[in-house]
Amino acid sequence: MILTVDDVRQHLNLTTADDDALIASKIAVAEAFVAQQLGAALDDATTFPDGTPEPVKEAVRQLVAHLYENREATTPLGLRDVSPGFWDLIAPYQKWVC
């Protein structure tokens, strides 16, 4: 994982470890989703020789927060509403294939 439970707990402004297992599972899902959107593993040293870029980490944090706060299915357009900048954060790192 590129993010720790502590990092996400801080992002969510949580002060207890009550939901740590849930947060860890949300991190795994969010990281897999973002990696799929980028077309590369988030810890891939070839793609990210200087480490995972901070905008990508922020996108993962925002997606984890969305998944944590919305534990049931949302509308088909719901993911577009994760945050105003989610897609903008990952766009520069996406691999486009024709």
Side-chain angles (χ1 to χ4, degrees), residues 45-68:
T46 303
T47 302
F48 304 119
D50 297 325
T52 308
E54 287 303 316
V56 172
K57 289 181 180 180
E58 180 59 22
V60 173
R61 282 185 203 99
Q62 290 180 13
L63 183 53
V64 171
H66 175 78
L67 295 171
Y68 181 80

Side-chain angles (χ1 to χ4, degrees), residues 2-90:
I2 62 164
L3 296 181
T4 65
V5 171
D6 287 339
D7 179 41
V8 172
R9 197 180 321 123
Q10 182 179 4
H11 178 78
L12 293 169
N13 199 28
L14 298 175
T15 56
T16 67
D18 294 346
D19 286 341
D20 281 2
L22 177 63
I23 291 169
S25 70
K26 303 292 183 190
I27 292 170
V29 169
E31 288 186 2
F33 179 81
V34 172
Q36 180 183 29
Q37 297 303 307
L38 297 184
L42 302 184
D43 59 356
D44 181 19
T46 303
T47 302
F48 304 119
D50 297 325
T52 308
E54 287 303 316
V56 172
K57 289 181 180 180
E58 180 59 22
V60 173
R61 282 185 203 99
Q62 290 180 13
L63 183 53
V64 171
H66 175 78
L67 295 171
Y68 181 80
E69 295 295 332
N70 301 285
R71 297 180 194 186
E72 301 297 326
T74 56
T75 65
L77 300 178
L79 192 52
R80 291 173 57 184
D81 299 327
V82 169
S83 86
F86 174 82
W87 297 106
D88 294 329
L89 288 166
I90 66 170

